[in-house]
């Protein structure tokens, strides 16, 4: 027993066993393994990225980005680590011998003793943490740094500070980043100093007398002085930030901003500098009175000057006469917005919009009519799928694309898609690693249809079809290894003369066995070596890449295969359009992707949310991507990117060569963007005005078509994009943006043009509870046109009621003749329904013509697809339909559009032959409905439909027709059957 405590006898140790050694050795081993796994994972990601960039000949992009990120990581990380560690060391070395007050708890001093004993380890841990934190944050700002480092002047100065726009776009963001890092470094250093002084007794807030040692006061004063000095710099930078800040009415400096906020920022910056001097003076005086007074003055000044003064000025001086006070600033905002978004050339034309057209006016526009697109690319995807899929593992996107192709001697709007492989559609019995990754590796061929024609059965008129492909689009390489639906990765290639395993076509050109292929393109990363196989097995977490005999020394791996993804990686400074489209160019299938340069720092230009401005009923559907959620106030379609569907190569062509942002990135990444002159004539013929940029511009033009500040302020001429009448409103949302009608590509002739042009079009309605049409807009979308990018807006008169898309669609839905004609194809109970296509608007005959295709779709069973049945048209107050566009136009204009025959009946009374046809069609529809009711045992419904049929027959007779018997097989209307079996 010792000190009243019994000593327990030691347990005899077993030979060769030390209970405490294994746990101490095991923990470092586990930690080392975890660190090695993390490092190997990072190495795998970096090295495979390097291999990918080398495979597309863009190794310089990878090295530039990686080098910049490493530079920022090391520079800022080391600076932060050094600052924090230096302050800890200074605080430790200047610690007092005797604490200013007792420690808050008995065991508190043990922490100080422990850190003193393990000081080097503790400081090392802190340094690593600071290096990692600061370096990671800095490396993510590589784009801002490169843009600043390679900045290009705009050659335009802002209207307030007389600085080149480049200062706001490139310099200002980088200065903000530096300011943020400065705040972080000083704040973390201050926290580290406070904690260290607290641990060793140099700082005790609970002490009755002196609460901080002299050394602690000096260190705190310097750090707080630096912090306030950074705040002064922040106030000074805020002056420039006002040019892109949000005022009450617009983006930019307002009257209050100019006369109150701006001078207050300057005064506060001076006060903050003086306050910082007081903190630095405290190093000598060592009294907190003056720094405390300075801090209080700074806070009160921030409240009085930064908040109360602007609020009082706004309320007392601006608000009573806001239109007058804000007028010059609104003018700045309008001019800058139109410049930043490329709207300064938009032409607004007053358009009378007649509601009736003369034969001569129709004759003048006759050449436009054959170009009206009837095939809706957002509807006929299932039709392409069912009629041109060939095998279940091939697929087409939900929304197809519209392009132009020369068919014979004419260039026609064409609906086009590529036949891609989709392994998810393989039967379960065929799903295995070899099939998924080495056999079903690529799609095959292009399918295209004439945009303004339909076959007799309502299906598209193919201009390219079948497998192997045949048609009128010429010879091309049909294999699609890179597409929007390609597998996540595929193993392709092999030795010459080796056995081919990649499925080319299910059958040969003359039937029989499937044809196989071995990829010989330059795309892809070689995976023949064990090292690369190990890296990619780790990357994709797939051991088969190491074990499978299908991976041979000549194999390549294809991944990151979608066109948009490849462009994002090849040019990480671009924002790609959400809808890449395929084209046959110079014998190759390529994907064309429009690339945008954007900024959120163009002075005085209105900011918009990119995702909201580009969202409509097609966004996020199928392969159409949604833009990122970010604010911009400058956009240019600076680059046309081309991704080869066979070898995956990425070509970037400068499109807007005058864009300073593009010039900046071309300096940062030299030799990655080719000049515009390198675009081949064949490629140029397929380039078009980009859709997402058009959506942003139409969003701005809804308000910024107004250039008068008074009208702009009053919002008396404010427009909006109408809702898509053919689409259901998105569930659980109150956003009017989400169901916007999408813009449409079609060929049309605007007033003043001599020939029809391929255009991108949209319409506007008033920004009120009304749905009448207020403007029609089109931009010349044909890249070969001298007027490419020219906006023409037809402003409709305010005293004439022109129906908008929603109102026209309602007319189509409620017109008795149209309803009767659609009745046979709109019977969900019998397995069919009518599907309405895009509601197109175009100027014609001095007015505006609406055209909408109607499809019939079988609702039950597999293999259903929409077929075009009718074309609905509206002009003025009249609506009509026909099985063809020609028939519908003849009805709505009461004249033959081809011959210009002058209509005899009054404008509001259909001609006799039209009445007869429509009445008989209604009779036939009623008869079909009667038969359906009869089969269902609904005698009351049967009787009602028979009465409708009789009335329609009588109407046809009264219009001048010979007595017409009921449709064949119909029972006498006055004697309905007594039972369903009748």
């Amino acid at each position: 027993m010792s000190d009243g405590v019994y000593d327990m006898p030691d347990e005899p140790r077993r030979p060769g066993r030390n209970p405490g050694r294994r746990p101490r050795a095991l923990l470092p081993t586990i930690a080392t393994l975890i660190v090695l796994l993390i490092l190997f994972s990072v190495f795998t990601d970096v090295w495979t990225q390097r291999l990918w960039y080398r495979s597309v000949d863009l190794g310089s992009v990878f090295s530039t980005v990686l080098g910049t990120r490493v530079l920022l990581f090391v520079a800022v990380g080391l600076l932060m680590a050094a600052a924090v560690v230096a302050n800890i060391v200074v605080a430790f070395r200047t610690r007092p011998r005797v604490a200013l007050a007792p420690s808050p708890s008995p065991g508190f001093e043990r922490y100080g003793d422990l850190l003193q004993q393990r000081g080097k380890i503790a400081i090392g841990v802190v340094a690593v943490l600071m290096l990692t934190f600061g370096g990671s944050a800095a490396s993510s700002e590589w784009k801002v740094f490169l843009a600043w480092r390679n900045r290009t002047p705009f050659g335009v100065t802002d209207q307030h500070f007389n600085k080149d726009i480049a200062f706001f776009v490139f310099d200002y963001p980088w200065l903000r980043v530096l300011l943020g890092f400065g705040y972080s470094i000083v704040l973390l250093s201050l926290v580290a100093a406070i904690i260290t002084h607290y641990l060793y007794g140099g700082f005790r807030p609970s002490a009755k007398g002196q609460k901080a040692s002299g050394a602690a006061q000096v260190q705190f004063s310097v750090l707080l002085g630096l912090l306030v000095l950074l705040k002064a710099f922040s106030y000074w930078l805020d002056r420039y930030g006002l040019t892109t800040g949000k005022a009450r009415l617009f983006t930019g400096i307002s009257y209050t901003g100019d006369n109150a906020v701006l001078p207050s920022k300057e005064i506060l910056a001076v006060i903050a500098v003086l306050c910082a001097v007081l903190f630095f003076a405290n190093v000598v005086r060592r009294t907190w009175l003056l720094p405390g007074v300075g801090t209080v003055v700074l806070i009160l000044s921030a409240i009085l000057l930064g908040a109360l003064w602007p609020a009082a000025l706004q309320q007392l001086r601006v608000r009573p006469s806001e239109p007058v006070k804000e007028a010059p600033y609104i003018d700045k905002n309008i001019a800058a917005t139109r410049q930043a978004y490329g709207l300064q050339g938009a032409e607004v034309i007053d358009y009378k919009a007649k509601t009736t057209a003369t034969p001569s006016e129709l004759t003048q526009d006759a050449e436009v009519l054959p170009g009206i697109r009837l095939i809706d690319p957002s509807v006929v995807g299932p039709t392409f799928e069912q009629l041109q899929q060939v095998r279940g593992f091939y697929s087409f996107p939900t929304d197809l694309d519209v392009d132009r192709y020369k068919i014979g001697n004419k260039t026609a709007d064409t609906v086009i898609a590529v036949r891609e492989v989709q392994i998810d559609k393989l039967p379960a019995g065929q799903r295995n690693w070899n099939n998924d990754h080495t056999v079903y590796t690529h799609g095959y061929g292009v399918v295209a249809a004439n945009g303004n024609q339909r076959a007799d059965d309502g299906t598209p008129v193919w201009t390219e079809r079948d497998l192997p492909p045949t048609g009128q689009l010429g010879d091309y390489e049909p294999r699609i290894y890179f597409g929007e639906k390609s597998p996540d990765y595929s193993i392709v290639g092999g030795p010459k003369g080796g056995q081919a395993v990649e499925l080319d076509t299910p059958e040969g050109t003359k039937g029989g066995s499937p044809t196989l292929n071995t990829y010989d393109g330059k795309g892809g990363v070689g995976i023949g070596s064990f090292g690369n196989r190990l890296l990619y097995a780790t990357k994709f977490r797939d051991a088969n890449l190491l074990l499978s005999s299908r991976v041979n020394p000549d194999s390549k791996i294809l991944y990151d295969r979608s066109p948009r993804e490849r462009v994002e990686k090849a040019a990480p400074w671009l924002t790609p359009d959400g809808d890449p489209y395929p084209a046959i160019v110079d014998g190759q299938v390529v994907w064309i992707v429009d690339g945008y340069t954007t900024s959120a720092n163009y002075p005085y230009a209105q900011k918009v949310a990119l995702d909201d401005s580009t969202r409509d009923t097609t966004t996020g559907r199928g392969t159409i991507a949604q833009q990122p959620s970010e604010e911009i106030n400058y956009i240019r379609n600076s680059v046309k990117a081309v991704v080869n569907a066979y070898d995956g190569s990425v070509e970037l062509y400068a499109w807007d060569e005058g864009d300073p942002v593009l010039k900046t990135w071309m300096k940062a990444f030299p030799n990655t963007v080719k000049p515009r002159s390198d675009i081949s004539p064949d490629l140029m013929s397929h380039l078009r005005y980009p859709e997402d940029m058009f959506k942003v511009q139409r969003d701005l033009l809804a308000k910024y078509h107004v250039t008068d500040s008074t009208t702009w302020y009053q919002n008396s001429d404010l427009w909006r994009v109408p809702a898509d009448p053919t689409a259901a409103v998105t569930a659980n949302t109150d956003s009017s943006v989400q169901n916007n009608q999408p813009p449409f590509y079609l060929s049309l002739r605007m007033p003043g043009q001599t020939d029809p042009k391929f255009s991108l079009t949209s319409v506007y309605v008033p920004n009120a509870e009304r749905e009448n049409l207020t403007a029609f807009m089109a931009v010349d979308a044909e890249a070969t046109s001298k007027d490419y990018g020219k906006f023409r807006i037809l402003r409709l008169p305010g005293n004439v009621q022109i129906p908008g898309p929603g109102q026209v669609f309602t007319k189509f839905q409620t017109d008795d003749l149209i309803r009767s004609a659609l009745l046979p194809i709109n019977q969900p109970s019998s397995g069919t329904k009518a599907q309405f296509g895009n509601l197109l608007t175009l100027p014609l005959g001095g007015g505006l013509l609406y055209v909408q295709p109607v499809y019939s779709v079988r609702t039950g069973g597999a293999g259903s697809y929409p077929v075009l049945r009718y074309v609905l048209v509206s002009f003025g107050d009249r609506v009509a339909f026909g099985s063809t566009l020609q028939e519908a136009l003849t009805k709505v204009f009461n004249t033959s559009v081809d011959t210009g025959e002058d209509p005899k009946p009054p404008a509001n009374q259909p001609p006799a032959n039209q009445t007869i046809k429509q009445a008989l069609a209604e009779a036939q529809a009623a008869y079909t409905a009667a038969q359906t009711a009869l089969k269902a045992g609904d005698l009351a419904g049967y009787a009602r439909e028979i009465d409708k049929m009789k009335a329609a027959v009588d109407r046809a007779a009264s219009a001048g027709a010979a007595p017409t018997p009921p449709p064949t097989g119909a029972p006498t209307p006055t004697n309905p059957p007594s039972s369903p079996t009748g």
Side-chain angles (χ1 to χ4, degrees):
M1 184 175 67
S2 175
D3 296 331
V5 178
Y6 289 98
D7 291 331
M8 298 296 295
D10 293 335
E11 181 182 351
R13 296 181 179 178
R14 297 178 183 177
R17 181 182 178 188
N18 187 341
R21 182 174 300 169
R22 181 174 296 175
R24 286 198 296 269
L26 183 61
L27 291 176
T29 301
I30 294 175
T32 302
L33 288 176
I34 292 174
V35 171
L36 289 176
L37 286 174
I38 293 173
L39 291 176
F40 182 70
S41 177
V42 172
F43 172 77
T44 297
D45 181 64
V46 172
W47 198 256
T48 54
Q49 291 285 357
R50 174 180 178 271
L51 294 175
W52 186 93
Y53 277 99
R54 291 182 63 185
S55 73
V56 291
D57 297 326
L58 289 172
S60 61
V61 175
F62 172 81
S63 60
T64 299
V65 174
L66 180 63
T68 304
R69 298 191 70 163
V70 170
L71 173 65
L72 293 174
F73 184 95
V74 172
V76 176
L78 285 179
L79 181 61
M80 182 173 289
V84 173
V85 168
N87 277 276
I88 292 175
V89 171
V90 168
F92 176 76
R93 290 185 176 181
T94 59
R95 67 192 185 278
R97 294 183 178 181
V98 179
L100 298 178
S103 58
S105 64
F108 190 79
E109 292 181 354
R110 296 179 184 176
Y111 293 107
D113 295 338
L114 180 62
L115 290 176
Q116 191 168 350
Q117 296 170 7
R118 307 283 185 179
K120 292 182 179 180
I121 296 177
I123 288 178
V125 171
V126 171
V128 170
L129 289 175
M130 293 299 101
L131 175 67
T132 304
F133 172 74
S136 299
S139 65
S140 65
E141 301 291 346
W142 66 269
K143 290 183 184 179
V144 181
F145 172 77
L146 278 180
W148 168 77
R149 180 70 179 80
N150 298 279
R151 59 194 179 277
T152 302
F154 275 65
V156 178
T157 57
D158 82 291
Q159 304 174 47
H160 204 98
F161 297 99
N162 201 32
K163 286 184 174 291
D164 191 277
I165 302 298
F167 170 81
F168 301 91
V169 175
F170 303 123
D171 294 19
Y172 176 77
W174 178 241
L175 292 175
R176 276 293 177 191
V177 168
L178 291 180
L179 179 64
F181 288 142
Y183 271 128
S184 298
I185 291 171
V186 175
L187 279 172
L188 289 171
S189 297
L190 180 61
V191 170
I194 290 174
I195 292 174
T196 305
H197 279 295
Y198 191 78
L199 285 174
Y200 294 104
F203 177 56
R204 286 286 192 270
S206 59
K208 293 183 179 179
Q210 186 179 4
K211 300 182 184 298
S213 66
Q217 289 189 56
V218 169
Q219 191 170 3
F220 293 166
S221 297
V222 171
L223 292 174
L224 288 171
L226 290 174
L227 201 62
V228 177
L229 199 61
L230 288 173
K231 185 61 179 176
F233 182 55
S234 176
Y235 282 132
W236 192 255
L237 273 186
D238 287 345
R239 297 160 56 250
Y240 303 112
L242 292 175
T243 61
T244 53
K246 290 185 178 180
R248 194 184 77 84
L249 298 174
F250 48 79
T251 299
I253 299 178
S254 63
Y255 180 91
T256 300
D258 191 13
N259 293 277
V261 179
L262 185 59
S264 72
K265 295 291 184 182
E266 295 171 346
I267 295 172
L268 287 171
V270 174
I271 295 175
V273 170
L274 295 176
C275 187
V277 171
L278 293 177
F279 275 103
F280 293 142
N282 198 43
V283 172
V284 179
R285 293 181 58 87
R286 299 190 182 180
T287 173
W288 291 103
L289 178 61
L290 290 180
V293 171
T295 303
V296 171
V297 170
L298 180 60
I299 294 173
L300 291 177
S301 299
I303 296 173
L304 294 173
L305 299 177
L308 297 182
W309 180 19
L313 183 67
Q314 177 70 30
Q315 188 70 22
L316 302 177
R317 192 167 186 179
V318 176
R319 191 169 183 179
S321 55
E322 192 171 46
V324 177
K325 298 293 185 184
E326 298 289 13
Y329 304 97
I330 292 175
D331 287 335
K332 288 182 182 181
N333 173 260
I334 292 173
T337 300
R338 291 173 67 89
Q339 174 64 36
Y341 291 95
L343 305 176
Q344 65 272 27
E347 180 183 3
V348 180
I349 306 167
D350 289 330
Y351 189 62
K352 293 183 179 179
K354 300 177 181 178
T355 56
T356 59
T358 65
S360 60
E361 290 171 327
L362 296 177
T363 302
Q364 291 173 3
D365 285 334
E367 60 182 293
V368 179
L369 300 179
I372 298 177
R373 180 174 51 77
L374 301 178
I375 303 300
D376 185 353
S378 63
V379 171
V380 298
T383 306
F384 274 52
E385 185 106 347
Q386 293 301 322
L387 300 183
Q388 289 295 315
Q389 184 182 32
V390 181
R391 289 292 186 272
F393 48 81
Y394 288 127
S395 183
F396 293 95
T398 307
D399 290 71
L400 311 184
D401 292 290
V402 179
D403 200 354
R404 295 97 60 225
Y405 284 87
K406 192 170 184 179
I407 308 298
N409 296 324
K410 294 183 178 180
T411 300
D413 293 357
T414 302
V415 177
I416 187 171
V418 297
R419 185 186 289 106
E420 294 197 55
V421 67
Q422 192 169 359
I423 58 176
D424 293 342
K425 293 189 174 183
L426 285 170
Q430 291 181 249
R431 294 299 303 275
N432 56 64
W433 187 88
N434 286 299
N435 280 346
D436 286 359
H437 297 290
T438 67
V439 176
Y440 297 96
T441 58
H442 60 282
Y444 203 92
V446 167
V447 176
N450 195 305
N452 52 26
Q453 294 181 12
R454 49 156 273 182
D456 292 339
D457 60 352
T459 58
V461 175
W462 307 109
T463 53
E464 190 77 14
R465 59 178 298 171
D466 296 341
L467 195 65
T470 60
Q472 306 173 62
L473 302 188
D475 296 329
Y476 59 91
E477 168 57 60
R479 298 175 181 89
I480 312 296
Y481 280 92
F482 295 86
E484 295 176 306
K485 294 189 174 184
S486 297
D488 55 350
Y489 76 87
S490 294
I491 306 300
V492 298
K496 292 184 178 179
Q499 182 180 1
V501 296
E502 302 167 36
L503 181 68
D504 225 3
T505 59
E507 296 179 357
T509 56
K510 298 181 180 179
S513 302
T515 59
L516 304 176
N517 178 61
T518 298
Y519 179 75
D520 61 357
K522 65 179 182 179
V525 177
I527 199 176
S529 66
F530 176 79
N532 281 2
R533 292 172 71 171
L534 177 61
L535 287 174
Y536 282 100
T538 304
K539 178 181 179 66
F540 291 106
R541 295 178 177 83
D542 193 340
N544 289 301
L545 289 169
L546 283 173
L547 304 175
S548 175
S549 60
R550 287 282 175 92
V551 184
N552 58 70
D554 295 300
S555 292
K556 290 183 174 183
I557 185 170
L558 309 180
Y559 64 100
D560 292 345
R561 301 163 74 174
S562 74
R564 197 169 186 269
E565 184 178 16
R566 293 181 80 80
V567 171
E568 283 182 313
K569 294 187 68 172
W573 41 274
L574 278 179
T575 300
D577 191 89
D579 187 20
Y581 61 98
I584 298 176
V585 176
D586 298 320
Q588 298 285 324
V589 178
V590 300
W591 295 93
I592 299 175
V593 186
D594 287 285
Y596 309 120
T597 48
T598 62
S599 174
N601 294 287
Y602 196 97
Y604 316 108
Q606 190 68 25
K607 286 186 177 180
V608 298
L610 183 59
D611 56 337
D612 284 344
S613 291
T614 56
R615 186 184 294 127
D616 57 34
T617 53
T618 65
T619 304
R621 190 173 66 191
T623 56
I624 301 178
Q626 181 175 326
Q627 291 293 354
S629 178
E630 62 182 18
E631 284 194 331
I632 64 167
N633 67 351
Y634 175 90
I635 186 170
R636 289 291 185 272
N637 177 211
S638 55
V639 170
K640 301 287 187 180
V642 178
V643 179
N644 191 292
Y646 181 68
D647 61 28
S649 59
V650 182
E651 303 288 347
L652 305 174
Y653 296 97
W655 185 247
D656 188 348
E657 294 181 307
D659 176 24
V661 181
L662 173 62
K663 292 179 180 179
T664 294
W665 290 116
M666 290 177 67
K667 287 194 291 184
F669 298 96
N671 303 319
T672 58
V673 181
K674 296 182 178 181
R676 181 170 176 163
S677 57
D678 284 2
I679 298 177
S680 70
D682 197 12
L683 175 59
M684 183 69 77
S685 67
H686 292 285
L687 300 181
R688 67 188 192 187
Y689 200 83
E691 200 165 352
D692 279 346
M693 181 167 167
F694 178 84
K695 293 176 186 178
V696 172
Q697 290 171 318
R698 75 170 178 177
D699 187 29
L700 267 299
L701 280 171
K703 184 167 188 175
Y704 285 89
H705 66 278
V706 175
T707 56
D708 175 69
S709 59
T710 302
T711 306
W712 189 96
Y713 175 82
Q714 294 171 348
N715 283 333
S716 57
D717 195 18
L718 193 61
W719 303 339
R720 63 179 170 87
V721 178
D724 188 350
T726 63
V729 178
T730 305
N732 300 323
T733 179
D734 58 357
S735 174
S736 61
V737 179
Q738 294 189 359
N739 65 327
N740 277 357
Q741 186 181 41
F744 300 118
Y745 287 103
L746 68 153
S747 293
L748 55 83
R749 181 170 61 195
M750 293 289 282
Q753 290 183 321
T754 56
D755 300 310
K757 296 291 186 181
F758 184 70
S759 304
L760 189 54
T761 67
S762 187
V763 297
Y764 292 108
V765 295
N767 191 33
E769 297 300 322
R770 296 179 297 157
E771 293 295 330
N772 57 291
L773 200 66
T774 191
F776 171 84
M777 180 174 70
V779 61
D780 194 330
E782 200 164 331
T784 55
S785 170
K786 64 177 182 177
D787 289 332
Y788 171 84
K790 174 72 174 179
F791 279 86
R792 294 179 175 88
I793 303 173
L794 304 183
R795 183 204 298 268
L796 305 182
N799 58 351
V800 178
Q801 185 77 7
I802 305 297
Q807 294 170 331
V808 170
F809 186 69
T810 300
K811 284 186 178 182
F812 288 157
Q813 293 278 306
T814 57
D815 183 81
D816 290 337
L817 296 179
I818 293 177
R819 291 180 63 188
S820 298
L822 298 184
L823 190 61
I825 65 171
N826 199 22
Q827 296 287 337
S829 60
S830 60
T832 62
K833 70 173 182 178
Q835 184 173 354
F836 291 86
N838 44 206
L839 183 54
L840 305 177
T841 312
L842 69 159
L844 185 77
L848 286 167
L849 176 72
Y850 287 94
V851 179
Q852 184 170 39
V854 180
Y855 298 81
S856 174
V857 186
R858 184 163 54 88
T859 57
S864 65
Y865 56 89
V867 293
L868 181 58
R869 290 302 187 197
Y870 291 105
V871 180
L872 313 182
V873 297
S874 174
F875 188 90
D877 294 329
R878 303 187 60 180
V879 297
F881 73 96
S883 57
T884 65
L885 175 63
Q886 180 66 56
E887 180 184 349
L889 291 173
T890 299
K891 290 179 180 180
V892 82
F893 289 119
N894 277 349
T895 185
S896 170
V897 177
D898 287 336
T899 62
E901 179 181 349
D902 195 3
K904 300 302 181 183
N908 62 352
Q909 179 181 342
N913 61 340
Q914 181 185 350
T915 301
I916 295 168
K917 291 180 181 179
Q918 292 175 344
L920 292 179
E922 185 178 358
Q924 183 63 51
Y927 168 70
T928 303
Q931 295 302 306
T932 303
L934 180 61
K935 292 178 181 179
D938 181 10
L939 297 183
Y942 173 86
R944 284 194 302 269
E945 296 301 330
I946 289 299
D947 290 339
K948 289 182 182 179
M949 182 187 72
K950 183 178 183 302
V953 171
D954 292 340
R955 191 164 60 252
S958 64
T964 306
T968 304
T972 304
T974 55
N975 296 305
S978 58
S979 67
T981 59

